Amino acid sequence: MARILSGIQPTGTTHLGNYLGALRHWVDQQDEFDSFFSIVDLHAITVHQDPKDLREAVTHLAAMLFAVGIDPQRATVFLQSHVPGHAQLAWIMECTASFGELSRMTQFKEKSTKTEFISAGLFNYPALMAADILLYQAERVPVGDDQKQHLELARTLATRFNTRFGEVFTVPEPQIPKVGARIMDLQVPTQKMSKSSSQDSGIIYLLDPPELIKKKISRAVTDSANDLRYVPDDPLRAGLRNLLELGSSLLGASPEEVASRHSSYGALKVALSEIVIEAVTPIQQLYREYTDDRGELLRILGEGAERANAVARATIERAHAALGFLT
Ligand code: TYM
């Protein structure tokens, strides 16, 4: 069975962008692939984290992954900090990447303007992300569009290491969905929906109550044309485009088809609220069940870490031997 790996940061609460860009595809693939899904808490501390908030965010995310449908019997779900191989291989990847390559990462450039204290970890973040993937010899990595550049770097680093030291790493393929790969902020539709940069009114959280979802969608920014067509390349129509892509992603119909089903922006928004509410309601119910039993969550994560560690140790041994470390 081919292997996939993906990760999500425990920062804030999970939103519709995470779900449509990534989590839903993780769920769809867990039968087809040997799946490893990680809550990347080491990545979270590249910017300041309050320990209490971090604990809460990790618990939230673990419950959310199971609530969206990831089955711990079929997929290995684990915390990154429970597998020492991530930090070990990250160092090796930092020594494989160049300063220039890491300096060109657009996410670093964006994030470093938003924080006063720019940690060395924030700069090295993509090397750790490459390590996350290569540690499991993952063939595919299901992610949203914003991770494309990091994935390219992971491929470059795997190839460079293999060329210098012999074949150790599988070179991973990014897997980015055709629709829903970049869900935009409802208030600033030229910017992606993101826990670090959006206002709450621009984000639909998976735990938002139905009334709030309706309110956020009804207030979503569109344009004054009131011409219900899918125009992907016009930045002035980015709000409408985002709503149509949201509908398309949830319904499995093309954005053009979603546009043709409605006669006004208002009608589109009402229909969209309904399908979003329909999608999140069962997730919210299951989420409550999982958060009620924290002991069970920890037990499942412990099992995941054991399985992940077994694979990670084997890769670290191979990488160390290839580098000339005495083993
Ligand atoms: P993170 O935690 O920001 O997001 C998790 C996943 O959700 C996707 N995503 C989106 N997709 C569509 N529209 C959006 N508005 C949107 N916002 C987020 C992301 O693309 C991602 O797939 N660096 C990664 C985490 C990571 C990782 C890895 C991923 C660490 N190690 C190894 C894959 C493999 C991140 O910060 O994702």
Side-chain angles (χ1 to χ4, degrees), residues 5-11 15-23 26 38-40 43 61 80 86 107 111 125 128-133 141-148 150-151 177 180-185 191-195:
L5 172 127
S6 201
I8 179 166
Q9 292 202 62
T11 39
H15 56 73
L16 203 58
N18 298 132
Y19 181 62
L20 296 179
L23 301 184
W26 299 7
S38 182
I39 296 176
V40 293
H43 278 93
L61 195 49
Q80 192 184 25
H86 289 263
Q107 227 169 59
K111 283 194 182 169
Y125 180 116
L128 174 60
M129 181 162 159
D132 298 341
I133 301 165
V141 185
V143 281
D145 184 63
D146 59 344
Q147 298 302 315
K148 211 170 174 174
H150 290 160
L151 253 295
R182 188 173 277 264
I183 300 296
M184 308 308 265
D185 183 303
Q191 163 190 313
K192 76 169 180 184
M193 188 180 280
S194 156
K195 17 192 186 199

Side-chain angles (χ1 to χ4, degrees), residues 252-320:
S254 69
E256 289 84 357
E257 200 181 321
V258 177
S260 73
R261 288 182 194 172
H262 305 286
S263 54
S264 68
Y265 290 3
L268 168 70
K269 285 177 167 180
V270 169
L272 196 56
S273 300
E274 276 167 20
I275 42 177
V276 172
I277 292 166
E278 206 177 296
V280 300
T281 302
I283 296 175
Q284 296 183 353
Q285 278 160 359
L286 281 172
Y287 174 83
R288 269 176 238 118
E289 288 173 27
Y290 279 107
T291 36
D292 281 349
D293 196 348
R294 287 190 177 213
E296 175 64 3
L297 274 183
L298 282 175
R299 192 193 62 74
I300 298 174
L301 292 173
E303 274 184 12
E306 249 175 63
R307 297 211 290 264
N309 265 307
V311 179
R313 272 192 226 106
T315 304
I316 292 292
E317 271 177 31
R318 285 177 63 195
H320 280 193

